[in-house]
């Protein structure tokens, strides 16, 4: 054994030997024509899933990497859902290294070839081919992205950790989750990677999420650096691309719309209508119901909470003590039991539209993940909007057309929202005013830096001072601000003179229309410009 990094750790040569044996075993099966299609397919699936889990640090759960929409191969990102305990911590965004991107491209081509092969084999396999086709061609696929085939080629099965462990037992003694250990240990060999290990593996040691509300890190830049490190690790350990088992199939057997069967028939192809995160969501709901039953048994149900007022703190404390004791006696999570109880209390008084202020017995809990199932789709949308905005600015430059101050303010507001990570409604609302009246330039060692004081939160009653944060615009926003001041100076417009918000809103709408955004909903931007 080498020096211990995260716990007892084998030599690098031993890990490399395991990877080599895994590659050799997979190749021997997928290139053996005497093997059935199901055996060759399942071997390829095992290699792909194990490789991806070693590259990303995915926990071993049922249906890993089950949705193609959770990948952004252009940006090198993958959205992972591998926690059952709490929906707030269910998703995390991690790096997707180059080798994983290449393997995914190979796998996607394989799926197309597999469909064509099944179509050629006969009509009895058309339903299976159509079900597999929903993976990349349907918003709600009926089969997970990675799946096993049964021997008779009539049904698909989920990839489970137990099946992966059985596949590895004759070539290694490593457990199925050993990839997380390898990734963490290899990354820790590089100075300054400790925090990045937490990000990639989904650990939160301090309570604050690495990309949470108080973080100054941006996911794209941070995960790009992690990608560079994992690429080195993959090369060092000897991971290799596994080619598709089925190659050079003509397009004659491709599944088209005429081949697609009724969805009810396709849903019967997979062993379970629920897979991946749907299974984990069901488990979370079952856990919640279990704790709800415990609380009902202790306090008698939600009806007992309806008449509680702020004067009944002692009664609340008594319920908390009883719930804590019952959870401990039952071997259940006391913190989660109290969280469910306080949630009940909040829901009761929310329905009555009557706030209640009570002292809560709370325990330190980790900050919720800022990511959810729609994160990558929204990011891809923002990328399109960014490119559309840049194309619009380029066209404006080519036209040499004069730009009014209100249109320039609209451009600055859009730049702040799309490129400057300013997502607060209050801050965006203040951009037009702050750019004109709270824009400053700091000089230090012959270097000048522009900054703007934006409102951070909505002002409270009788609050005289602005609650601000200091925005340091990027190069694009600085160029637009410089253009604004040049326009105002040419028009001899006073700096303190206000520009009506309705004109800025109209300009934002016009810009979005020119960018090709159909029927833009700018209710939030209207607030930003008012």
């Amino acid at each position: 054994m080498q020096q211990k990094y995260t716990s007892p750790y084998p030599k690098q040569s031993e890990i490399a030997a395991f990877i080599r044996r895994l590659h050799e075993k997979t190749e021997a099966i997928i290139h053996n024509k005497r093997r059935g299609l199901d055996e060759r397919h399942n071997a390829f699936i095992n290699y792909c899933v194990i490789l991806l889990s070693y590259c990303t640090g995915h926990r071993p759960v049922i249906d890993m990497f089950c949705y193609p929409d959770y990948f952004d191969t252009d940006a090198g990102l993958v959205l992972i859902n591998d926690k059952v305990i709490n929906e707030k911590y269910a998703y995390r965004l991690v790096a997707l290294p180059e080798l994983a991107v290449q393997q995914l491209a190979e796998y996607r081509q394989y799926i197309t070839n597999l469909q064509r092969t099944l179509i050629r084999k006969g009509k009895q396999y058309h339903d299976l081919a159509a079900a597999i086709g929903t993976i990349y061609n349907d918003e709600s696929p009926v089969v997970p992205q990675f799946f096993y085939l049964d021997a008779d080629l009539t049904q698909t099965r989920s990839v489970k950790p137990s099946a992966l462990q059985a596949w590895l037992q004759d070539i290694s003694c490593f457990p199925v989750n050993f990839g997380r250990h390898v990734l963490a240990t290899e990354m820790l060999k590089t100075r300054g990677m400790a925090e990045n290990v937490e990000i990639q593996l989904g650990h939160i040691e301090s309570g604050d999420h690495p990309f949470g509300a108080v973080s100054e890190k941006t996911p794209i830049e941070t995960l790009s650096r992690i990608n560079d490190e994992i690429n080195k690790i993959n090369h060092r350990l000897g991971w290799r691309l596994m080619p598709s088992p089925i190659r050079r199939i003509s397009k004659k057997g491709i599944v088209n719309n005429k081949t697609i069967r009724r969805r009810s028939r396709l849903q019967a192809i997979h062993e379970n209508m629920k897979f991946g995160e749907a299974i984990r969501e069901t488990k979370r709901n079952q856990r919640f119901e279990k704790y709800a039953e415990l609380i009902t048994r202790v306090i008698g149900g939600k009806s007992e909470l309806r008449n509680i007022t702020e004067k009944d703190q002692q009664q609340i404390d008594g319920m908390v003590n009883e719930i804590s004791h019952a959870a401990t006696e039952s071997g259940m999570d006391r913190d989660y039991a109290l969280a469910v109880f306080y949630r009940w209390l909040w829901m009761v008084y929310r329905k009555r539209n009557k706030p209640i202020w009570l002292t809560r017995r709370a325990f330190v809990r980790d900050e919720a993940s800022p990511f959810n199932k729609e994160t990558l789709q929204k990011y891809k949308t923002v990328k399109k909007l960014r490119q559309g905005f840049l194309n619009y600015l380029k066209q404006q430059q080519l036209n040499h057309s004069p730009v009014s101050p209100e249109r320039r303010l609209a451009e600055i507001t859009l730049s702040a929202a799309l490129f400057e990570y300013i997502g607060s409604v209050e801050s965006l609302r203040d951009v037009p005013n702050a750019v004109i009246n709270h824009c400053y330039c700091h000089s230090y060692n012959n270097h000048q830096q522009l900054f703007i004081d934006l409102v951070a939160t909505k002002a409270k009653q009788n609050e005289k001072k602005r609650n601000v944060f200091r925005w340091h615009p990027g190069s694009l926003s600085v160029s637009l601000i410089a253009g604004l001041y040049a326009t105002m100076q040419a028009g001899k417009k006073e700096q303190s003179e206000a520009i009506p918000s309705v004109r800025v809103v109209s300009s934002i709408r016009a810009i979005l229309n020119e960018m090709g955004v159909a029927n833009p909903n700018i209710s939030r931007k209207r607030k930003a410009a008012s």
Side-chain angles (χ1 to χ4, degrees):
M1 290 287 181
Q2 284 183 326
Q3 176 186 356
K4 298 178 182 179
Y5 289 94
T6 56
S7 65
Y9 190 68
K11 295 179 181 179
Q12 183 174 310
S13 59
E14 294 173 345
I15 300 175
F18 154 69
I19 295 172
R20 184 176 64 254
R21 290 193 296 269
L22 174 64
H23 195 277
E24 291 171 352
K25 177 181 179 178
T26 307
E27 271 196 327
I29 294 175
I30 67 176
H31 295 318
N32 187 344
K33 300 301 181 182
R34 296 181 180 179
R35 297 271 192 166
L37 179 60
D38 62 304
E39 292 180 280
R40 289 182 283 138
H41 168 86
N42 295 346
F44 186 54
I45 289 294
N46 286 332
Y47 186 88
C48 289
V49 172
I50 292 171
L51 169 63
L52 288 173
S53 64
Y54 269 70
C55 287
T56 61
H58 200 301
R59 292 179 175 87
V61 295
I62 297 176
D63 295 320
M64 293 188 281
F65 313 105
C66 63
Y67 295 116
D69 287 345
Y70 287 2
F71 290 86
D72 188 334
T73 53
D74 294 332
L77 303 171
V78 57
L79 193 64
I80 286 180
N81 176 290
D82 60 359
K83 279 192 175 182
V84 176
I85 296 177
N86 194 318
E87 187 178 1
K88 291 182 178 180
Y89 317 123
Y91 294 90
R92 70 181 194 275
L93 192 66
V94 302
L96 185 70
E98 182 180 357
L99 180 61
V101 172
Q102 294 173 355
Q103 191 65 62
L104 283 167
E106 194 73 19
Y107 180 75
R108 185 158 187 164
Q109 182 59 47
Y110 164 73
I111 288 297
T112 301
N113 291 338
L114 176 62
Q115 285 182 270
R116 295 170 182 169
T117 299
L118 291 169
I119 291 295
R120 285 184 167 191
K121 288 178 71 68
K123 291 184 178 180
Q124 65 269 36
Y125 303 110
H126 283 194
D127 280 353
L128 175 60
I132 293 173
T134 64
I135 296 175
Y136 295 111
N137 301 305
D138 198 306
E139 292 183 359
S140 301
V142 299
V143 175
Q145 182 173 210
F146 295 96
F147 58 91
Y148 291 141
L149 284 175
D150 276 352
D152 57 3
L153 302 181
T154 59
Q155 194 174 42
T156 60
R157 293 179 286 110
S158 291
V159 178
K160 301 177 181 178
S162 57
L164 294 174
Q165 188 65 66
W167 171 260
L168 295 174
Q169 64 182 4
D170 63 335
I171 60 174
S172 170
C173 61
F174 299 151
V176 69
N177 65 341
F178 190 65
R180 289 171 58 83
H181 185 34
V182 171
L183 189 59
T185 303
E186 294 297 327
M187 288 180 68
L188 286 173
K189 291 180 180 180
T190 301
R191 180 178 297 178
M193 275 286 162
E195 188 175 6
N196 289 339
V197 170
E198 293 184 8
I199 292 173
Q200 189 70 11
L201 268 64
H203 294 159
I204 302 179
E205 301 295 340
S206 63
D208 292 331
H209 194 280
F211 300 123
V214 298
S215 174
E216 294 183 356
K217 293 178 176 290
T218 57
I220 303 302
E221 296 174 359
T222 303
L223 296 178
S224 176
R225 290 194 293 270
I226 295 176
N227 258 334
D228 293 340
E229 184 61 28
I230 298 179
N231 286 333
K232 297 175 184 176
I233 293 171
N234 289 337
H235 179 74
R236 189 163 66 235
L237 296 180
W239 281 107
R240 287 180 287 167
L241 180 73
M242 180 62 65
S244 167
I246 305 175
R247 307 185 73 83
R248 297 181 181 178
I249 301 295
S250 68
K251 295 183 179 180
K252 185 178 180 180
I254 193 168
V255 180
N256 52 40
N257 292 335
K258 295 181 181 179
T259 314
I260 297 297
R261 301 300 194 259
R262 289 188 306 174
R263 190 170 184 85
S264 59
R265 288 173 59 180
L266 300 189
Q267 287 175 332
I269 294 295
H270 195 62
E271 63 176 345
N272 194 333
M273 288 182 64
K274 289 185 177 181
F275 52 83
E277 67 179 42
I279 294 177
R280 290 183 274 284
E281 183 179 1
T282 300
K283 290 182 178 180
R284 282 195 296 270
N285 293 337
Q286 290 172 348
R287 183 172 187 255
F288 180 85
E289 292 299 326
K290 180 181 177 181
Y291 280 82
E293 290 175 5
L294 171 73
I295 297 171
T296 300
R297 189 170 66 249
V298 172
I299 70 172
K302 293 182 183 179
S303 59
E304 297 296 321
L305 305 177
R306 291 173 183 166
N307 298 322
I308 292 177
T309 65
E310 295 178 20
K311 298 179 181 180
D312 298 324
Q313 180 68 55
Q314 187 174 358
Q315 184 181 355
I316 290 289
D317 290 341
M319 290 181 176
V320 167
N321 290 333
E322 291 179 17
I323 293 171
S324 299
H325 177 74
T328 303
E329 289 292 317
S330 304
M332 300 166 70
D333 186 345
R334 180 183 58 177
D335 293 4
Y336 187 73
L338 292 180
V340 173
F341 170 69
Y342 286 124
R343 180 178 177 182
W344 276 15
L345 192 62
W346 176 78
M347 289 173 65
V348 167
Y349 280 84
R350 185 187 180 192
K351 288 181 180 179
R352 295 174 56 182
N353 197 25
K354 180 181 178 182
I356 182 171
W357 303 97
L358 294 168
T359 303
R360 294 176 47 159
R361 185 184 302 180
F363 301 89
V364 176
R365 304 186 73 88
D366 294 333
E367 182 183 8
S369 171
F371 307 114
N372 57 52
K373 65 174 65 177
E374 298 177 350
T375 294
L376 277 182
Q377 291 302 314
K378 289 180 178 178
Y379 171 66
K380 292 175 182 178
T381 300
V382 169
K383 284 203 298 186
K384 291 180 181 179
L385 287 173
R386 286 177 173 175
Q387 189 57 52
F389 185 64
L390 293 175
N391 292 340
Y392 154 79
L393 292 177
K394 184 176 181 180
Q395 189 61 44
Q396 288 291 107
Q397 185 179 20
L398 292 175
N399 292 340
H400 299 289
S401 55
V403 180
S404 64
E406 54 268 24
R407 192 175 184 90
R408 186 66 76 192
L409 283 172
E411 293 172 351
I412 295 169
T413 303
L414 288 172
S415 176
L418 294 175
F419 293 93
E420 305 288 349
Y421 302 102
I422 297 178
S424 165
V425 174
E426 299 299 330
S427 299
L428 287 174
R429 174 188 300 165
D430 192 47
V431 167
N433 169 63
V435 166
I436 294 176
N437 297 312
H438 301 282
C439 185
Y440 310 98
C441 187
H442 173 67
S443 298
Y444 180 76
N445 288 343
N446 296 324
H447 176 71
Q448 292 186 331
Q449 186 176 32
L450 185 72
F451 65 88
I452 297 170
D453 284 344
L454 289 177
V455 167
T457 58
K458 187 176 182 179
K460 297 180 181 179
Q461 288 184 348
N462 302 323
E463 187 176 33
K464 296 181 180 179
K465 293 184 178 180
R466 288 163 49 93
N467 184 11
V468 302
F469 85 95
R470 189 146 289 177
W471 170 37
H472 297 274
S475 57
L476 176 61
S477 297
V478 168
S479 298
L480 294 173
I481 292 170
L484 169 68
Y485 274 82
T487 302
M488 293 174 62
Q489 186 176 8
K492 297 182 180 180
K493 194 177 187 67
E494 293 294 332
Q495 181 174 342
S496 60
E497 185 177 342
I499 295 176
S501 61
V502 65
R503 287 160 57 184
V504 179
V505 170
S506 298
S507 296
I508 292 176
R509 188 185 298 277
I511 293 171
L512 291 175
N513 282 328
E514 292 181 37
M515 289 167 52
V517 180
N519 299 320
N521 181 1
I522 58 172
S523 58
R524 292 171 67 89
K525 293 183 178 67
R526 182 177 289 110
K527 292 181 180 179
S530 62

